[in-house]
Amino acid sequence: MSPDIEPLVSIRDLHFARGRKTIFDGVDIDIRRGQVTAIMGPSGTGKTTLLRLIGGQLRPDKGSVRVDGLEVPKLRTRELYRLRQRMGMLFQSGALLTDLNVFDNVAFPLREHTDLPESMIRDLVLMKLEAVGLRGARGLTTAELSGGMARRVALARAIALDPMMILYDEPFTGQDPISMGVLVKLIRELNDALGLTSVIVSHDVQETSAIADDIYLLSDGKVVAHGSPGELEHYDSEWARQFLKALPDGPVPFHYPAPDFAEDLLAGSEGGRAWQ
Amino acid sequence: MAIKGPAGWFQALGASALGFFERLGRGHLLLFSILGRLPALVPRFGLVVQQIYSVGVLSLLIILVSGLFVGMVLGLQGYYTLVDFGAEQSLGTVVALTLVRELGPVVAALLFAGRAGSALTAEIGLMKATEQLSGMEMMAVDPIKRTLAPRFLAGFLSLPLLAAIFSAIGIMGGYIVGVQLLGVDEGAYWSQMQNSVNFWDDIINGVIKSLAFGFVASWIAVFEGYDAVPTSEGVSRATTRTVVHTSLAVLGLDFILTALMFGEP
Ligand SMILES: Nc1ncnc2c1ncn2[C@@H]1O[C@H](COP(=O)(O)OP(=O)(O)OP(=O)(O)O)[C@@H](O)[C@H]1O
Ligand SMILES: [Mg+2]
């Protein structure tokens, strides 16, 4: 890819805090058109938060988030909604509408945003469901789906309007090896066949590296590594090596910050509020 | 940062007062944005009809049963009071006026809060907790327009109808007890009722009351759901608050409306 094409999403000097906790402290990210970009990082670093900032559900404290030339935090509601029609987002929890069945969930964005006749909606929905392997499950209610199936229905819904970009929040969690493989291939194929731009947030280093063109590693509010999967393998950072190879020891802490364990056990009756 | 001792009590008092006014402010902001989106429901009235079904039709059974019993009790109590004065012929008037002016709108609103209001709050609160509302936003669908406004309007429209049904079935209950069991003259029961119940002063005022109650009950239910802390505990608290606040608001409002409507001219 030539670097002089304007990236679809460009984030500059992003600062964001939740209460007193700083989540982003000067982050620069470019998501190039037509590519699959992966955002990885330990749990709780703010990957979901980053997707919400791109989608305009949260506003940065400082810095800029531009999507397709539009400054997202400055958009008015109507413009923001028009932009969101061109973005699909796959939520970590699926976020399917529980009062609708599988078919109606996938049809939901089509019915809300288009005036297509019902027969065409039916065809489109069946095509999207076929792509995720759940055409036969169209009549099920959301309560009858497993977690992994719900995620796939949500994916079918996210691509229903043929968006220009899809944001995937942990698409692989809860998938068995077969549907995981299918999903990995599907994400790549959707991206290439429809000319989409994809952003994947994931912990699954192997699967994600296999299809990503570009990877960002986030930690402690900063980008700690950035490059293609090949580049990252030889990256000169102990942090990146530990994360990508899943080594238990290294600079990435497994524990949320806490006082000394033995001291904590002896502290006795103070309950959950002991350390604050 | 909690301060101990009397200063701490003042701090807590101040904090809860601020919290109260903040909630009040958020409630009004939500109400205005719902009202502003009502015109957009006209081309999509199907959404409202769906909600009228789940809010209204599902409350129907409890309204019918309660209305019948309340009417029967009124027939019984009214008869024993009136018979001492030899005025049991007026039983129809007593039953009808009590129901149409007071008990119909008020009891229907209280039942509505328990049956439909709590369900609305729980549904909206759970939709928030499971990211459905925020998912809709990301699909460029306004959750206030798509989810909250139809539910609010459905509650507002359903309650007057439910109250009317409550009163009608209550009058039948009074008839069963008074006329069929206790032997009040059937002609007197209906004709006295017809002579003394005024369409504008009694029926329309009762309808205005239940419109007001429907407005307040649906507003509280929708707001509590939308403002709920998005956890199971938060939703269950919000559901309780809906029932308690709606009941208090309905009873308080009833006093004010009654004083305004039925005071001496
Ligand atoms: N609504 C909220 N209010 C306050 N803090 C929040 C809220 N949502 C998330 N956080 C905090 O923001 C931080 C980042 O959360 P986020 O959900 O973005 O993490 P994540 O990288 O997606 O983690 P995971 O991989 O586990 O999904 C976390 O430390 C979390 O405690
Ligand atoms: Mg997350």
Side-chain angles (χ1 to χ4, degrees):
Chain A
M1 281 286 148
S2 72
D4 38 80
I5 303 178
E6 191 207 356
L8 184 59
V9 179
S10 91
I11 295 174
R12 286 291 170 272
D13 191 32
L14 175 68
H15 285 75
F16 183 76
R18 287 261 199 203
R20 254 183 270 155
K21 188 174 155 73
T22 305
I23 301 197
F24 294 116
D25 186 15
V27 165
D28 295 338
I29 290 178
D30 279 330
I31 288 160
R32 273 176 275 167
R33 290 173 197 270
Q35 297 205 338
V36 176
T37 304
I39 313 273
M40 297 201 254
S43 188
T45 35
K47 302 179 298 294
T48 302
T49 309
L50 181 69
L51 296 186
R52 286 186 190 276
L53 284 160
I54 294 175
Q57 280 192 318
L58 297 171
R59 276 163 203 275
D61 299 331
K62 193 177 146 219
S64 106
V65 178
R66 294 178 78 79
V67 177
D68 202 20
L70 301 169
E71 182 66 34
V72 175
K74 299 229 169 76
L75 291 179
R76 278 177 296 140
T77 313
R78 189 180 295 259
E79 298 162 329
L80 184 61
Y81 273 38
R82 208 170 306 138
L83 177 65
R84 281 181 187 162
Q85 285 190 32
R86 299 191 287 144
M87 295 193 223
M89 170 136 173
L90 184 67
F91 275 77
Q92 203 164 357
S93 60
L96 294 176
L97 300 172
T98 41
D99 55 345
L100 302 179
N101 68 11
V102 167
F103 183 94
D104 290 330
N105 260 291
V106 180
F108 181 82
L110 295 166
R111 290 187 177 139
E112 290 293 321
H113 294 307
T114 69
D115 293 322
L116 296 176
E118 200 53 31
S119 63
M120 195 174 288
I121 288 186
R122 183 171 183 279
D123 293 348
L124 283 171
V125 170
L126 293 186
M127 270 161 55
K128 307 296 176 189
L129 281 174
E130 173 78 18
V132 298
L134 289 176
R135 187 164 48 85
R138 76 187 101 150
L140 299 184
T141 64
T142 50
E144 290 167 323
L145 298 175
S146 72
M149 286 161 82
R151 195 80 44 88
R152 282 192 275 159
V153 174
L155 174 56
R157 185 179 68 175
I159 56 176
L161 282 178
D162 293 328
M164 63 171 181
M165 169 166 74
I166 306 188
L167 310 171
Y168 299 91
D169 198 350
E170 310 280 0
F172 306 126
T173 356
Q175 302 295 340
D176 60 66
I178 298 175
S179 54
M180 167 106 92
V182 173
L183 260 184
V184 171
K185 245 181 64 195
L186 181 67
I187 289 177
R188 184 77 237 184
E189 277 169 6
L190 279 174
N191 190 78
D192 298 347
L194 303 178
L196 299 177
T197 303
S198 313
V199 181
I200 305 182
V201 159
S202 176
H203 301 294
D204 295 272
V205 177
Q206 297 277 311
E207 285 72 19
T208 312
S209 313
I211 53 166
D213 299 304
D214 207 14
I215 298 180
Y216 282 87
L217 285 188
L218 294 180
S219 170
D220 271 341
K222 299 233 191 287
V223 174
V224 292
H226 168 221
S228 68
E231 283 163 15
L232 280 192
E233 255 177 56
H234 310 289
Y235 208 77
D236 187 23
S237 148
E238 200 162 337
W239 196 100
R241 244 188 327 257
Q242 186 206 346
F243 187 82
L244 294 173
K245 302 234 163 74
L247 307 174
D249 281 321
V252 186
F254 165 66
H255 291 284
Y256 196 86
D260 181 65
F261 190 32
E263 223 171 80
D264 213 1
L265 290 175
L266 293 173
S269 57
E270 288 165 70
R273 298 182 184 279
W275 184 71
Q276 256 166 28
Chain B
M1 282 227 308
I3 305 170
K4 295 214 163 74
W9 304 335
F10 279 112
Q11 190 193 27
L13 188 69
S16 70
L18 278 182
F20 173 76
F21 285 114
E22 267 179 34
R23 276 175 61 78
L24 207 59
R26 285 200 300 275
H28 280 86
L29 286 179
L30 180 70
L31 179 65
F32 294 141
S33 49
I34 288 179
L35 293 180
R37 283 158 172 91
L38 288 183
L41 288 178
V42 174
R44 305 197 56 187
F45 208 72
L47 289 176
V48 183
V49 173
Q50 247 174 28
Q51 292 307 320
I52 291 184
Y53 174 75
S54 62
V55 168
V57 176
L58 299 180
S59 308
L60 206 51
L61 186 66
I62 182 171
I63 289 283
L64 287 176
V65 173
S66 321
L68 185 67
F69 282 123
V70 167
M72 287 165 71
V73 169
L74 277 177
L76 215 53
Q77 293 280 18
Y79 179 83
Y80 290 135
T81 311
L82 290 172
V83 80
D84 287 345
F85 307 100
E88 69 272 20
Q89 307 299 328
S90 306
L91 184 65
T93 308
V94 171
V95 169
L97 285 183
T98 318
L99 280 168
V100 171
R101 284 181 170 188
E102 284 298 331
L103 289 184
V106 172
V107 178
L110 296 179
L111 294 172
F112 179 85
R115 173 66 183 80
S118 57
L120 275 182
T121 303
E123 188 189 15
I124 296 172
L126 282 175
M127 288 181 85
K128 184 180 178 191
T130 52
E131 293 192 309
Q132 295 181 49
L133 297 183
S134 111
M136 259 188 220
E137 270 180 23
M138 278 305 296
M139 286 186 282
V141 175
D142 179 3
I144 297 185
K145 189 160 94 188
R146 179 66 172 69
T147 307
L148 269 55
R151 285 168 170 76
F152 172 83
L153 188 59
F156 176 62
L157 296 178
S158 301
L159 189 49
L161 299 175
L162 290 171
I165 293 171
F166 185 95
S167 297
I169 204 88
I171 289 170
M172 289 312 295
Y175 168 84
I176 294 171
V177 169
V179 175
Q180 305 286 341
L181 298 181
L182 298 173
V184 174
D185 181 58
E186 180 169 358
Y189 186 87
W190 293 119
S191 68
Q192 294 248 357
M193 188 187 302
Q194 220 170 22
N195 286 334
S196 52
V197 177
N198 182 292
F199 179 73
W200 289 103
D201 286 349
D202 300 316
I203 304 215
I204 290 299
N205 274 337
V207 171
I208 291 175
K209 268 189 182 181
S210 54
L211 280 171
F213 298 160
F215 188 89
V216 170
S218 322
W219 175 22
I220 293 179
V222 167
F223 170 68
E224 287 293 353
Y226 193 65
D227 202 51
V229 180
T231 59
S232 18
E233 196 205 358
V235 174
S236 87
R237 275 168 191 247
T239 312
T240 312
R241 269 203 307 269
T242 293
V243 177
V244 174
H245 291 183
T246 307
S247 308
L248 293 178
V250 163
L251 295 172
L253 198 59
D254 182 47
F255 174 73
I256 295 171
L257 288 176
T258 308
L260 289 178
M261 288 170 173
F262 301 105
E264 288 300 316

